[in-house]
Amino acid sequence: MALRSGNRLTPSYATFTVRPDDPNVHARREQALDASGPKQLAKKRADNARSSQELWLSGVYDLGTLPYLKNKYAGSVRANNAGSPNRTTAASTTHNDVHAQHQPRRRAGDIRAGSISPSKRFRFERCVACAGTFEYRLDDTSTVNIYAGLPGPEAYTAVSYVWSSTSDKAVRCASCDYITVFPVHNESKFSDIMHLAGAGDRIWLDALSIDQADPEDQARQIPAMGDIYNNASRVSVLLPACDARAYQLLATLSFIAKQILDRPAHFIFNYEDAVAALAEATDDASRRTGKQAVPADESFYRPAYGARATSELCAEFVTCLQTFDAIVKDFHYWSRAWTFQEWAMASDADVSLETDAVGAQHALVRHCRFTSVKSSIFSAASLIAQYISLEGPYAKAHFGLSRGPIADFFHLVKRLFPLEAQMLAPDEVDTREYLFQSQMPSTGCFQLLGLRATPRGSELASRKARLQTMLNAFATSKRNAKFDADLVACWAGMCGVQYPYVKEDSLLTAVTKVKSALRASEIRLYDFVPEGLECDDRNMMSFFHLTRPHEMCNAEGGAPFEGLPILTGRCDAGEHLAIVLAQDLRKMSTLKVSKRVRQVAGSVSSSALLSDMVGAIDLLLSSTNHQSDDSIISSNFRQPFSLFLRSLPVPLLDLYKAVQITVPVRDPQGEQKCLIAWAMCAKTVPDGSLAIGREPVNGSLVLLKRQSRRVYNLAYLVYTDSMSGSHVINSDEQGNIDLLLNTPKRSDLTVGFKGGDFL
């Protein structure tokens, strides 16, 4: 809703407006169902196909959303798209910059080399001193080339592995006797990595490619790591031996995924198995396809992998995914700060398991690897999700998922196996198109599932989308790192954030640096806690609570908020209460004087001590907008607020109070109304010393404390709606406030409601 104001930054209020139906809905519906519609024309092309490749290229399913198949048939796709607009994901500007910066880096002699005895077992055939790169010979006389510095424009492999406990190893060069010192767990692990990379490959390996003794090289390469991993032709993942269960699950998932992707006819023509396909091969009365007689060749419908029923394969695939999600937090690889971010940025990944082998047995690492693990799993899940969305109750493959929960299932896949180029960021979802597809999913489902098949149009959109992908990945499970600063650098580096990285920084210092750098790059970040009150405890720090998805605490059946609160300015009301009270609101001495804040009209109308639990909850409820209440979708906040406050220790409740703020506003017709907001502060602050202001970073309305001639920012005002959570209130220089109250998307509801009306 748009709130407009006068010259004194006094916002005005507008009631909910019912958005009109799309005037083209009827025409679009007719086109989608018409026999000459795009989908039907694609199915007619599929009728004449004589191979799996021809079927996939028919256009029934866009290969842009099935990256494994897109890569498999890359040559055919390029031929078909000749002369047409490019639909592939273009290389980012940052990647071109990485190539431009690439040059052989001949390092100065390492001062550590004199104190470490060179390994007698290992040596480089050539090294950075004599060749500008590293060359390592495998047991069969073939070699692996390792970049010294940023990768060049040629195809390369990036390696992802858990460092574990490391020590400096010295390796002598056979060509020039130069000694290179780099950190590695042990020589056996290094041999595993080299054999996994494979003979003749050119690889980027962080321990060697980044000069660990040169802070300047670290500062140059760490912000480029997102592009290094994203633009690698593949990422070779070496799981630690303790993650054998993860290796088994990923191997099973990848194998099943490739079987699913080997049977296009079963999804395009909606068949359960080869027998059913042959039985219906001559049936021209198919409800959906309207196809002609299809080829009655059993081999065309029976995949090369075997004749297991599609339902059976898909059910096992879904079960394995859910199992992996349930225990991923227990795996060592997925608990480290850097490795899972490398996994998240990889456009595809091969997976193998670390060994304790000796000699030639290290070759087993490569023989036991599974290729294209990430793209095959994502593609199979994408195909299943599109199939269920398009076919709905008419789907002949049954494996326990319907149109309702399929979106949640696919969100799980995007969280565990993110592919940046194939995913829509929350702010990229077209709301009107989403609502149209939610009512008519058989006509299209890209917006429903958050899928994209075309590249992003701007560098800013790409950076913001990558930031959301990285933060989502980071929040999947608890991360561990040797230095607290690496808990920030791991995702900031993947996003190309340029900031002064110091490994000894505290967590709060590192977060503050990165937030400043992101804002300088035109990415808007919303604060819910003023600078100076932020807690430095990782478990309490508001930043990490605001960079993970929230569930609506008062939703009947659960409903996730779209986007990350720090990027949207909206969070769950219960989470917001918990975040604020996790900070020390009494730390007045650490608050910075707000020099550029502008005072605006508004005042404290009432307050209640949290120790008076009933009074405090009544105040919070009276500050909540209930105009859009719908008991089918949500309940009021009394129960979640009460449960949370009762869980806090009594001494903590004695320290704080809830404050209700009234801001005079006018609607577009000039009628005077009031905007009700709330905040939390220390109970020792008198209500009479409080005022309302507008801070300059985002234009957010804040609660101020006047002391002598100084003004301090105590809290951010929030507007809470019973069906859309708590919103930071932002205004522009003219005082216009823009609050968009969107109900979180529910998987069990296909139509959104607002104020009793359809959106």
Side-chain angles (χ1 to χ4, degrees), residues 12 118 205 210 340 355 359 588 613 628 683 737:
S12 58
L205 178 67
I210 300 176
F340 189 58
T355 71
M588 302 294 296
M613 199 172 299
S628 57
K683 74 173 185 179
I737 294 177

Side-chain angles (χ1 to χ4, degrees), residues 131-157:
T133 187
F134 296 98
E135 187 177 296
Y136 179 81
R137 187 175 297 278
L138 300 176
D139 302 314
D140 59 358
T141 71
S142 56
T143 59
V144 178
N145 295 298
I146 307 159
Y147 282 110
L150 293 164
E154 61 274 3
Y156 65 93
T157 298

Side-chain angles (χ1 to χ4, degrees), residues 483-555:
F483 300 101
D484 282 347
D486 283 346
L487 294 172
V488 178
C490 64
W491 54 265
M494 292 294 173
C495 297
V497 181
Q498 299 281 351
Y499 76 103
Y501 165 75
V502 179
K503 64 183 180 182
E504 291 82 9
D505 278 345
S506 69
L507 196 56
L508 183 57
T509 300
V511 166
T512 302
K513 286 181 178 180
V514 170
K515 286 172 67 176
S516 298
L518 287 171
R519 283 174 170 144
S521 66
E522 300 181 0
I523 292 180
R524 172 174 281 195
L525 303 178
Y526 293 95
D527 289 317
F528 287 75
V529 176
E531 185 177 353
L533 298 183
E534 183 76 82
C535 178
D536 200 10
D537 184 332
R538 175 187 175 185
N539 296 321
M540 301 286 193
M541 190 181 295
S542 68
F543 179 83
F544 291 107
H545 288 274
L546 296 171
T547 52
R548 61 176 177 79
H550 285 188
E551 283 275 339
M552 189 174 174
C553 68
N554 64 318

Side-chain angles (χ1 to χ4, degrees), residues 7 9 596-600 692-696 702 704 733:
N7 296 328
L9 295 176
R596 294 192 297 156
V597 71
R598 297 174 59 180
Q599 188 169 337
V600 300
I692 313 304
R694 176 185 182 273
E695 56 85 23
V702 293
L704 303 175
E733 288 288 346

Side-chain angles (χ1 to χ4, degrees), residues 20-27 432:
D21 289 335
D22 188 335
N24 298 318
V25 164
H26 182 72
R432 298 180 71 86

